[in-house]
């Protein structure tokens, strides 16, 4: 570990001790907001304190084992303990370095998942449906809840567009690297000659965060349309214009919601998603400016970037943001087993952030 990273660790450990003292002060305890914020910061620093304590113990074990080296009866045992302690210290150093990676405050929260058909006609809509099903299956494995807010089915299956809210602890942290253009190569069901077609769909992952309540939108900047809902919901949805479409004129962002029985409830949901999109757009611009010279821009939110190819004839899935990230397990991945991809992308992101910290 570099001296710079070591100093950062020690500074954070000192901050934790300071927080421990502050949390015991009566005026802090009496201030609910301050107490909650300091408690959250304290809990986030706890793993660093634990890791430093583990490192101190491992160093003590190493020193004790080295002291036994000269003992003729315990020499062999000492060598084994020295090897084990050195391996433990190396692992702890790696773990502590990862703890320095800035934590995204959105990681534990919920998200809006948007999947849209791109180039490829009917096959693109079918592929968009396959992608949504993949994420829904993954959410089911993780114990998350998926609520469809609006959809526009394709003529031959799948979706031209589908938007859903995914709720569950850690949902954003696991899916935040999925934004971008996904490309599929396969023989469509409608292809009589057996030729492989290439089509695409775009995915957008937008955090549902508390800060959306602070986003102020001028009502004059909004165009609000109502229309009849389609899909599930019984006879009521097809008889009243309860569905809402809101267009934010300055940005061109359009959101729809048609899942609730009342126009008011649909409007509330649509406004929350609009605020989340505007906040996400601003954050993406900032990240793009900061990350312009970085090697890996995973999670930048650039939906025009082609991030992944799904090749069905070869059973292959390739993520183009990471060199060498090709898996020959497409049938399982498309059924929702996304962990191998998610974990590799997370490690690459952490390594990139660590490199940035070291450079700074």
């Amino acid at each position: 570990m570099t001296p710079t990273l070591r100093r950062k660790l020690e500074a954070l450990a000192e901050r934790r001790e300071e927080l421990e003292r502050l949390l015991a002060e009566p005026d802090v305890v009496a201030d609910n907001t301050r107490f909650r914020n300091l408690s959250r910061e304290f809990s986030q620093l706890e793993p660093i304190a634990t890791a430093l304590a583990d490192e101190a113990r491992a160093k003590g074990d190493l020193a004790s084992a080295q002291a036994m080296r000269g003992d003729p009866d315990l020499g062999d045992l000492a060598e084994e303990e020295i090897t084990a302690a050195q391996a433990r210290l190396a692992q702890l150093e790696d773990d502590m370095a990862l703890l320095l990676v800035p934590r995204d405050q959105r990681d534990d929260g919920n998200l809006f998942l948007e999947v849209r058909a791109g180039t490829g006609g009917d096959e693109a809509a079918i592929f968009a449906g396959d992608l949504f099903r993949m994420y829904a299956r993954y959410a089911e494995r993780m114990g998350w809840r998926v609520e469809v807010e609006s959809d526009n089915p394709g003529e031959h299956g799948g979706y031209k567009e589908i938007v859903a809210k995914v709720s569950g602890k850690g949902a954003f942290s696991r899916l935040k690297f999925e934004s971008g253009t996904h490309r599929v190569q396969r023989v469509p069901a409608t292809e009589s000659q057996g030729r492989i077609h290439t089509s695409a769909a775009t995915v957008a992952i937008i955090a549902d965060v508390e800060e959306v309540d602070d986003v102020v939108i001028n009502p004059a900047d909004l165009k609000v349309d109502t229309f009849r809902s389609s899909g599930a919901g019984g006879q009521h949805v097809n008889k009243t214009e309860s569905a809402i479409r809101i267009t934010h004129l300055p940005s061109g962002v359009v959101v729809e919601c048609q899942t609730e029985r009342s126009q008011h409830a649909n409007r509330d949901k649509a406004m929350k998603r609009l605020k989340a999109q505007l906040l996400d757009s601003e954050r993406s611009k900032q990240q793009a400016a900061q990350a312009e010279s970085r090697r890996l821009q995973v999670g930048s939110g650039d939906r025009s970037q082609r991030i992944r190819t799904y090749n069905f004839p070869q059973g292959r899935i390739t993520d183009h943001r990471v060199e060498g990230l090709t898996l020959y397990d497409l049938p399982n991945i498309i059924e929702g087993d996304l962990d191998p991809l998610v974990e590799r992308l997370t490690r690459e992101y952490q390594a990139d952030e660590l490199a940035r910290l070291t450079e700074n």
Side-chain angles (χ1 to χ4, degrees):
M1 182 182 296
T2 66
T4 301
L5 294 183
R6 173 64 63 177
R7 285 194 296 272
K8 289 179 184 291
L9 275 174
E10 292 169 353
L12 289 172
E14 291 174 5
R15 173 60 177 166
R16 178 190 168 278
E17 293 177 2
E18 179 187 6
L19 289 169
E20 193 170 24
R21 292 192 297 271
L22 287 171
L23 288 168
E25 294 181 1
D27 59 329
V28 173
V29 174
D31 186 337
N32 289 335
T33 301
R34 190 180 179 203
F35 184 80
R36 183 173 63 253
N37 291 338
L38 292 178
S39 296
R40 185 183 297 119
E41 185 183 356
F42 180 84
S43 66
Q44 291 172 355
L45 295 177
E46 188 68 23
I48 290 176
T50 300
L52 285 170
D54 290 343
E55 183 188 46
R57 282 192 292 271
K59 286 181 176 178
D61 293 341
L62 177 60
S64 299
Q66 288 172 333
M68 291 191 301
R69 257 178 170 164
D71 191 314
D73 297 325
L74 300 175
D76 291 342
L77 178 61
E79 291 299 331
E80 291 179 8
E81 292 190 2
I82 288 171
T83 301
Q86 289 173 335
R88 174 66 175 152
L89 282 169
Q91 182 61 53
L92 282 168
E93 191 167 291
D94 290 343
D95 293 344
M96 286 190 293
L98 290 178
L99 290 172
L100 288 172
V101 174
R103 190 174 184 279
D104 191 332
Q105 297 298 321
R106 303 170 294 171
D107 276 354
D108 288 337
N110 307 326
L111 60 94
F112 294 107
L113 165 66
E114 302 181 356
V115 185
R116 293 181 173 84
T119 56
D122 292 335
E123 169 62 8
I126 293 170
F127 178 50
D130 292 341
L131 287 177
F132 177 75
R133 180 173 171 271
M134 176 181 76
Y135 293 124
R137 288 284 182 90
Y138 184 62
E140 184 180 348
R141 289 172 181 236
M142 300 297 291
W144 303 333
R145 186 172 72 255
V146 178
E147 301 172 272
V148 174
E149 295 207 344
S150 66
D151 62 4
N152 183 3
E155 294 178 6
H156 297 279
Y159 299 96
K160 295 178 181 177
E161 174 186 301
I162 183 166
V163 178
K165 183 176 181 181
V166 180
S167 306
K169 185 172 176 59
F172 185 77
S173 68
R174 303 296 288 179
L175 293 180
K176 63 182 178 181
F177 303 130
E178 295 300 303
S179 289
T181 299
H182 297 240
R183 183 177 68 170
V184 64
Q185 296 172 329
R186 64 183 175 188
V187 179
T190 55
E191 170 58 55
S192 59
Q193 302 297 320
R195 293 172 296 189
I196 295 175
H197 284 221
T198 298
S199 55
T202 60
V203 173
I205 302 295
I206 300 168
D208 178 22
V209 291
E210 294 177 358
E211 297 101 288
V212 296
D213 294 331
D214 300 327
V215 177
V216 178
I217 298 178
N218 186 347
D221 291 337
L222 301 178
K223 178 187 176 187
V224 181
D225 299 307
T226 60
F227 59 99
R228 292 186 181 184
S229 303
S230 61
Q235 295 179 350
H236 172 81
V237 296
N238 293 316
K239 288 185 176 181
T240 64
E241 292 195 343
S242 60
I244 288 286
R245 180 186 298 110
I246 301 177
T247 304
H248 184 246
L249 299 174
S251 66
V253 173
V254 180
V255 294
E256 293 182 0
C257 189
Q258 57 180 315
T259 56
E260 301 300 320
R261 290 174 62 89
S262 79
Q263 189 180 111
H264 180 74
N266 280 325
R267 183 188 174 96
D268 285 345
K269 277 192 170 184
M271 281 298 296
K272 186 170 185 180
R273 202 166 86 240
L274 173 61
K275 290 180 177 181
Q277 285 207 29
L278 294 176
L279 194 63
D280 177 77
S281 178
E282 184 59 33
R283 189 171 271 141
S284 294
K285 290 178 184 176
Q286 294 172 359
Q287 289 176 342
Q290 294 166 358
E292 188 174 356
S293 62
R294 289 166 57 193
R295 174 184 61 84
L296 180 66
Q297 295 188 29
V298 172
S300 66
D302 182 0
R303 293 162 209 166
S304 65
Q305 179 189 18
R306 189 190 72 186
I307 64 168
R308 195 174 295 154
T309 295
Y310 303 72
N311 186 296
F312 277 77
Q314 298 177 15
R316 168 176 58 82
I317 185 166
T318 299
D319 196 292
H320 304 291
R321 296 166 293 180
V322 180
E323 185 177 355
L325 181 43
T326 295
L327 302 174
Y328 288 88
D329 194 25
L330 181 53
N332 287 323
I333 290 172
I334 207 71
E335 285 297 317
D337 185 12
L338 286 173
D339 280 335
L341 275 172
V342 169
E343 289 165 6
R344 177 67 184 278
L345 290 167
T346 300
R347 289 197 301 271
E348 291 288 335
Y349 172 76
Q350 290 172 335
D352 204 43
E353 287 295 297
L354 271 179
R356 186 178 63 83
L357 282 173
T358 305
E359 290 169 5
N360 292 341

